Amino acid sequence: YEIYQCDWSSDVCSSDLEVELRMVREELANSMVACGAPSAEDWVHYRELREREKKIKAELMSAGGNN
């Protein structure tokens, strides 16, 4: 098995962040496939996902991740 580098002070492993980042990216990809013109709510959701993606990437960089 593989041991992941963790910051136990925050109790968040970089592997957890990588999984969350993958999920956000999948949701972003799925939102772009939706049929029809995006609604205002769709754009808000898209921007929120992009902001979450940026935060996760920043957390990974500070934890020594490579995404």
Side-chain angles (χ1 to χ4, degrees), residues 25-43 45-46 49:
R25 287 179 174 166
E26 287 175 9
E27 191 170 345
L28 279 166
N30 291 337
S31 70
M32 298 308 292
V33 176
C35 297
S39 67
E41 293 85 17
D42 292 334
W43 283 113
H45 183 66
Y46 178 81
L49 287 172

mmCIF file of all heavy atoms in Angstrom, residues 25-43 45-46 49:
data_model
loop_
_atom_site.group_PDB
_atom_site.id
_atom_site.type_symbol
_atom_site.label_atom_id
_atom_site.label_comp_id
_atom_site.label_asym_id
_atom_site.label_seq_id
_atom_site.Cartn_x
_atom_site.Cartn_y
_atom_site.Cartn_z
ATOM 1 N N ARG A 25 -13.251 18.700 -11.297
ATOM 2 C CA ARG A 25 -12.981 18.752 -12.735
ATOM 3 C C ARG A 25 -14.003 17.940 -13.524
ATOM 4 O O ARG A 25 -14.422 18.348 -14.611
ATOM 5 C CB ARG A 25 -11.566 18.268 -13.015
ATOM 6 C CG ARG A 25 -10.526 19.281 -12.596
ATOM 7 C CD ARG A 25 -9.142 18.799 -12.857
ATOM 8 N NE ARG A 25 -8.170 19.859 -12.572
ATOM 9 C CZ ARG A 25 -6.871 19.629 -12.460
ATOM 10 N NH1 ARG A 25 -6.390 18.424 -12.612
ATOM 11 N NH2 ARG A 25 -6.056 20.624 -12.204
ATOM 12 N N GLU A 26 -14.419 16.805 -12.989
ATOM 13 C CA GLU A 26 -15.456 16.003 -13.658
ATOM 14 C C GLU A 26 -16.771 16.764 -13.713
ATOM 15 O O GLU A 26 -17.458 16.762 -14.733
ATOM 16 C CB GLU A 26 -15.641 14.668 -12.943
ATOM 17 C CG GLU A 26 -14.521 13.683 -13.167
ATOM 18 C CD GLU A 26 -14.668 12.417 -12.352
ATOM 19 O OE1 GLU A 26 -15.731 12.197 -11.724
ATOM 20 O OE2 GLU A 26 -13.699 11.632 -12.337
ATOM 21 N N GLU A 27 -17.115 17.410 -12.610
ATOM 22 C CA GLU A 27 -18.362 18.177 -12.581
ATOM 23 C C GLU A 27 -18.291 19.354 -13.556
ATOM 24 O O GLU A 27 -19.267 19.671 -14.240
ATOM 25 C CB GLU A 27 -18.655 18.674 -11.166
ATOM 26 C CG GLU A 27 -20.055 19.230 -11.026
ATOM 27 C CD GLU A 27 -20.459 19.513 -9.599
ATOM 28 O OE1 GLU A 27 -19.795 19.042 -8.661
ATOM 29 O OE2 GLU A 27 -21.461 20.215 -9.428
ATOM 30 N N LEU A 28 -17.115 19.991 -13.656
ATOM 31 C CA LEU A 28 -16.942 21.074 -14.627
ATOM 32 C C LEU A 28 -17.125 20.554 -16.044
ATOM 33 O O LEU A 28 -17.810 21.171 -16.856
ATOM 34 C CB LEU A 28 -15.555 21.704 -14.486
ATOM 35 C CG LEU A 28 -15.389 22.725 -13.374
ATOM 36 C CD1 LEU A 28 -13.916 22.994 -13.135
ATOM 37 C CD2 LEU A 28 -16.128 23.997 -13.686
ATOM 38 N N ALA A 29 -16.521 19.419 -16.342
ATOM 39 C CA ALA A 29 -16.641 18.837 -17.679
ATOM 40 C C ALA A 29 -18.087 18.486 -17.985
ATOM 41 O O ALA A 29 -18.585 18.749 -19.082
ATOM 42 C CB ALA A 29 -15.753 17.607 -17.800
ATOM 43 N N ASN A 30 -18.779 17.907 -17.017
ATOM 44 C CA ASN A 30 -20.188 17.539 -17.212
ATOM 45 C C ASN A 30 -21.061 18.768 -17.401
ATOM 46 O O ASN A 30 -22.017 18.739 -18.177
ATOM 47 C CB ASN A 30 -20.700 16.708 -16.039
ATOM 48 C CG ASN A 30 -20.083 15.338 -15.994
ATOM 49 O OD1 ASN A 30 -19.602 14.821 -16.998
ATOM 50 N ND2 ASN A 30 -20.080 14.737 -14.815
ATOM 51 N N SER A 31 -20.734 19.852 -16.723
ATOM 52 C CA SER A 31 -21.556 21.064 -16.851
ATOM 53 C C SER A 31 -21.392 21.679 -18.235
ATOM 54 O O SER A 31 -22.293 22.340 -18.731
ATOM 55 C CB SER A 31 -21.205 22.081 -15.768
ATOM 56 O OG SER A 31 -19.934 22.647 -15.983
ATOM 57 N N MET A 32 -20.252 21.444 -18.874
ATOM 58 C CA MET A 32 -20.025 22.003 -20.197
ATOM 59 C C MET A 32 -20.717 21.186 -21.285
ATOM 60 O O MET A 32 -20.894 21.658 -22.396
ATOM 61 C CB MET A 32 -18.529 22.078 -20.499
ATOM 62 C CG MET A 32 -17.764 22.974 -19.540
ATOM 63 S SD MET A 32 -18.449 24.636 -19.354
ATOM 64 C CE MET A 32 -18.117 25.304 -20.966
ATOM 65 N N VAL A 33 -21.140 19.974 -20.967
ATOM 66 C CA VAL A 33 -21.782 19.096 -21.937
ATOM 67 C C VAL A 33 -23.289 19.323 -21.982
ATOM 68 O O VAL A 33 -23.961 18.922 -22.912
ATOM 69 C CB VAL A 33 -21.464 17.615 -21.600
ATOM 70 C CG1 VAL A 33 -22.198 16.660 -22.516
ATOM 71 C CG2 VAL A 33 -19.969 17.380 -21.676
ATOM 72 N N ALA A 34 -23.819 20.024 -20.992
ATOM 73 C CA ALA A 34 -25.266 20.232 -20.900
ATOM 74 C C ALA A 34 -25.809 20.858 -22.182
ATOM 75 O O ALA A 34 -25.159 21.693 -22.805
ATOM 76 C CB ALA A 34 -25.588 21.117 -19.707
ATOM 77 N N CYS A 35 -26.988 20.428 -22.551
ATOM 78 C CA CYS A 35 -27.624 20.925 -23.780
ATOM 79 C C CYS A 35 -28.260 22.290 -23.542
ATOM 80 O O CYS A 35 -28.711 22.603 -22.449
ATOM 81 C CB CYS A 35 -28.696 19.950 -24.249
ATOM 82 S SG CYS A 35 -28.029 18.350 -24.698
ATOM 83 N N GLY A 36 -28.313 23.076 -24.597
ATOM 84 C CA GLY A 36 -28.988 24.366 -24.524
ATOM 85 C C GLY A 36 -28.101 25.455 -23.964
ATOM 86 O O GLY A 36 -26.981 25.225 -23.532
ATOM 87 N N ALA A 37 -28.623 26.667 -23.973
ATOM 88 C CA ALA A 37 -27.892 27.812 -23.446
ATOM 89 C C ALA A 37 -27.840 27.744 -21.926
ATOM 90 O O ALA A 37 -28.843 27.424 -21.286
ATOM 91 C CB ALA A 37 -28.568 29.108 -23.887
ATOM 92 N N PRO A 38 -26.690 28.030 -21.336
ATOM 93 C CA PRO A 38 -26.587 27.986 -19.874
ATOM 94 C C PRO A 38 -27.395 29.107 -19.227
ATOM 95 O O PRO A 38 -27.426 30.222 -19.730
ATOM 96 C CB PRO A 38 -25.098 28.154 -19.612
ATOM 97 C CG PRO A 38 -24.535 28.744 -20.845
ATOM 98 C CD PRO A 38 -25.430 28.359 -21.970
ATOM 99 N N SER A 39 -28.023 28.777 -18.129
ATOM 100 C CA SER A 39 -28.788 29.777 -17.377
ATOM 101 C C SER A 39 -27.837 30.573 -16.485
ATOM 102 O O SER A 39 -26.662 30.220 -16.330
ATOM 103 C CB SER A 39 -29.839 29.084 -16.508
ATOM 104 O OG SER A 39 -29.199 28.332 -15.490
ATOM 105 N N ALA A 40 -28.344 31.604 -15.872
ATOM 106 C CA ALA A 40 -27.547 32.402 -14.937
ATOM 107 C C ALA A 40 -27.061 31.528 -13.779
ATOM 108 O O ALA A 40 -25.925 31.656 -13.327
ATOM 109 C CB ALA A 40 -28.360 33.571 -14.418
ATOM 110 N N GLU A 41 -27.922 30.626 -13.324
ATOM 111 C CA GLU A 41 -27.550 29.724 -12.233
ATOM 112 C C GLU A 41 -26.424 28.781 -12.660
ATOM 113 O O GLU A 41 -25.536 28.465 -11.873
ATOM 114 C CB GLU A 41 -28.754 28.901 -11.753
ATOM 115 C CG GLU A 41 -29.836 29.705 -11.075
ATOM 116 C CD GLU A 41 -30.822 30.318 -12.071
ATOM 117 O OE1 GLU A 41 -30.870 29.885 -13.250
ATOM 118 O OE2 GLU A 41 -31.536 31.247 -11.681
ATOM 119 N N ASP A 42 -26.469 28.348 -13.923
ATOM 120 C CA ASP A 42 -25.402 27.486 -14.443
ATOM 121 C C ASP A 42 -24.059 28.205 -14.403
ATOM 122 O O ASP A 42 -23.048 27.627 -14.025
ATOM 123 C CB ASP A 42 -25.692 27.051 -15.882
ATOM 124 C CG ASP A 42 -26.877 26.116 -15.994
ATOM 125 O OD1 ASP A 42 -27.183 25.411 -15.013
ATOM 126 O OD2 ASP A 42 -27.502 26.099 -17.077
ATOM 127 N N TRP A 43 -24.053 29.478 -14.791
ATOM 128 C CA TRP A 43 -22.812 30.246 -14.790
ATOM 129 C C TRP A 43 -22.309 30.470 -13.371
ATOM 130 O O TRP A 43 -21.108 30.411 -13.119
ATOM 131 C CB TRP A 43 -22.985 31.572 -15.517
ATOM 132 C CG TRP A 43 -22.975 31.414 -16.999
ATOM 133 C CD1 TRP A 43 -24.022 31.629 -17.847
ATOM 134 C CD2 TRP A 43 -21.886 30.985 -17.819
ATOM 135 N NE1 TRP A 43 -23.646 31.351 -19.144
ATOM 136 C CE2 TRP A 43 -22.328 30.952 -19.150
ATOM 137 C CE3 TRP A 43 -20.572 30.612 -17.553
ATOM 138 C CZ2 TRP A 43 -21.503 30.573 -20.199
ATOM 139 C CZ3 TRP A 43 -19.752 30.239 -18.609
ATOM 140 C CH2 TRP A 43 -20.216 30.223 -19.903
ATOM 141 N N HIS A 45 -22.818 28.486 -10.813
ATOM 142 C CA HIS A 45 -22.293 27.185 -10.383
ATOM 143 C C HIS A 45 -20.927 26.926 -11.016
ATOM 144 O O HIS A 45 -19.998 26.476 -10.346
ATOM 145 C CB HIS A 45 -23.280 26.074 -10.749
ATOM 146 C CG HIS A 45 -22.870 24.721 -10.286
ATOM 147 N ND1 HIS A 45 -22.788 24.388 -8.957
ATOM 148 C CD2 HIS A 45 -22.506 23.619 -10.982
ATOM 149 C CE1 HIS A 45 -22.388 23.137 -8.845
ATOM 150 N NE2 HIS A 45 -22.206 22.645 -10.058
ATOM 151 N N TYR A 46 -20.785 27.230 -12.293
ATOM 152 C CA TYR A 46 -19.520 27.052 -13.001
ATOM 153 C C TYR A 46 -18.409 27.887 -12.353
ATOM 154 O O TYR A 46 -17.306 27.395 -12.099
ATOM 155 C CB TYR A 46 -19.690 27.438 -14.473
ATOM 156 C CG TYR A 46 -18.428 27.341 -15.277
ATOM 157 C CD1 TYR A 46 -17.989 26.112 -15.770
ATOM 158 C CD2 TYR A 46 -17.675 28.478 -15.549
ATOM 159 C CE1 TYR A 46 -16.820 26.026 -16.508
ATOM 160 C CE2 TYR A 46 -16.508 28.394 -16.295
ATOM 161 C CZ TYR A 46 -16.087 27.170 -16.766
ATOM 162 O OH TYR A 46 -14.929 27.085 -17.484
ATOM 163 N N LEU A 49 -17.398 26.383 -9.046
ATOM 164 C CA LEU A 49 -16.545 25.212 -9.246
ATOM 165 C C LEU A 49 -15.121 25.627 -9.609
ATOM 166 O O LEU A 49 -14.152 25.044 -9.116
ATOM 167 C CB LEU A 49 -17.122 24.309 -10.343
ATOM 168 C CG LEU A 49 -18.359 23.512 -9.973
ATOM 169 C CD1 LEU A 49 -18.927 22.826 -11.209
ATOM 170 C CD2 LEU A 49 -18.032 22.478 -8.901
#
